Amino acid sequence: VNILKQTDTDPENILALTFTNAGVVSMRDRLASIIGSSAYNIAINTFHGFCNDVIQNNPEYFPEYTESSNIDDITKIKLINNILEKLQLKYIYKNIKAKDIGSIIEKLKQENVSWQDLRDISIKAKDDLKEEDYYYKNQKEGQPKKIKKAYWEDQKKIEKNIELSYIYEEYEKDLEQNHFYDYNDMILLVLKKMK
């Protein structure tokens, strides 16, 4: 409102982004109540909706996605279940739900962490994990050193993350092969192109 009232900027030259569709409606209603019908000329969108529009309206910059579509939750779960069956996993058990793994991958993408980043971070953590950092204090000289249970728990968490990086890698390959992109890829694709 201040931009429109205090400058010569046209409503068509303003982009407002929010996190939810409810936020889009709320922003538009509030603007309309203050500035009237010109509020409908302002581009108000969610981050994902904006990025999807950029992809769809600029196919020359996203040729690999012109024939791709946004993956739905059911198809995502099927892909991840197939990956779990295909990979020989020791630490991520078969009883972990594909939906939960999908949520973890979604969070990683939201933080712009690729499968390679996850693997590199996890391998470094594994290399940095030292038994002596987990020895009980005040142990008697000459006795075998006792290691705290936390060492084995931390080691297991790291191994799970390494396995997760392989699931994530296969998931990305399957998306590409099947001409899909997921919800968070929309933002990542646009960020890469803008850079």
Side-chain angles (χ1 to χ4, degrees):
V1 170
N2 287 331
I3 292 169
L4 292 173
K5 286 184 174 181
Q6 297 174 13
T7 71
D8 61 353
T9 304
D10 293 325
E12 300 82 25
N13 294 328
I14 296 176
L15 170 64
L17 296 174
T18 183
F19 291 99
T20 65
N21 289 322
V24 170
V25 172
S26 176
M27 288 171 77
R28 182 145 347 260
D29 289 348
R30 184 141 186 235
L31 278 170
S33 73
I34 298 169
I35 61 172
S37 62
S38 60
Y40 295 95
N41 295 327
I42 297 173
I44 303 174
N45 225 324
T46 63
F47 289 95
H48 290 96
F50 169 72
C51 290
N52 192 46
D53 287 348
V54 170
I55 292 168
Q56 299 304 320
N57 294 328
N58 300 280
E60 66 276 14
Y61 293 103
F62 303 93
E64 66 273 35
Y65 293 94
T66 54
E67 295 185 21
S68 295
S69 58
N70 193 3
I71 192 169
D72 60 70
D73 289 339
I74 294 169
T75 307
K76 181 191 284 191
I77 290 169
K78 285 179 184 176
L79 283 181
I80 293 171
N81 274 329
N82 289 340
I83 292 166
L84 290 172
E85 287 179 22
K86 182 169 68 172
L87 295 179
Q88 297 297 314
L89 303 172
K90 181 177 178 183
Y91 294 94
I92 294 181
Y93 303 108
K94 302 293 183 194
N95 61 356
I96 292 179
K97 294 179 183 174
K99 182 179 179 186
D100 295 335
I101 292 171
S103 295
I104 294 167
I105 291 172
E106 185 176 309
K107 287 181 179 129
L108 289 166
K109 287 186 175 193
Q110 287 170 354
E111 295 297 325
N112 201 12
V113 177
S114 70
W115 63 264
Q116 187 65 61
D117 296 334
L118 177 62
R119 189 169 304 152
D120 292 345
I121 291 165
S122 300
I123 289 171
K124 182 176 181 339
K126 185 177 179 179
D127 293 342
D128 291 345
L129 190 70
K130 306 286 185 241
E131 281 186 16
E132 55 268 17
D133 293 338
Y134 292 84
Y135 288 156
Y136 283 100
K137 294 179 182 173
N138 304 323
Q139 294 187 64
K140 294 181 181 177
E141 286 290 322
Q143 294 291 326
K145 299 287 184 185
K146 290 186 179 179
I147 301 171
K148 294 177 183 176
K149 183 180 176 183
Y151 172 78
W152 308 110
E153 291 169 352
D154 288 350
Q155 187 178 49
K156 187 175 179 179
K157 287 176 192 172
I158 291 168
E159 293 294 346
K160 279 184 177 182
N161 283 336
I162 291 171
E163 287 186 354
L164 179 62
S165 77
Y166 285 100
I167 295 168
Y168 187 178
E169 178 184 13
E170 289 299 313
Y171 174 71
E172 290 296 289
K173 287 178 185 175
D174 284 354
L175 286 179
E176 188 176 332
Q177 287 173 354
N178 292 293
H179 303 286
F180 287 125
Y181 57 88
D182 71 18
Y183 198 58
N184 291 295
D185 286 332
M186 290 185 277
I187 291 177
L188 296 176
L189 290 169
V190 171
L191 279 174
K192 285 177 189 175
K193 293 296 179 179
M194 286 185 173
K195 283 182 183 177

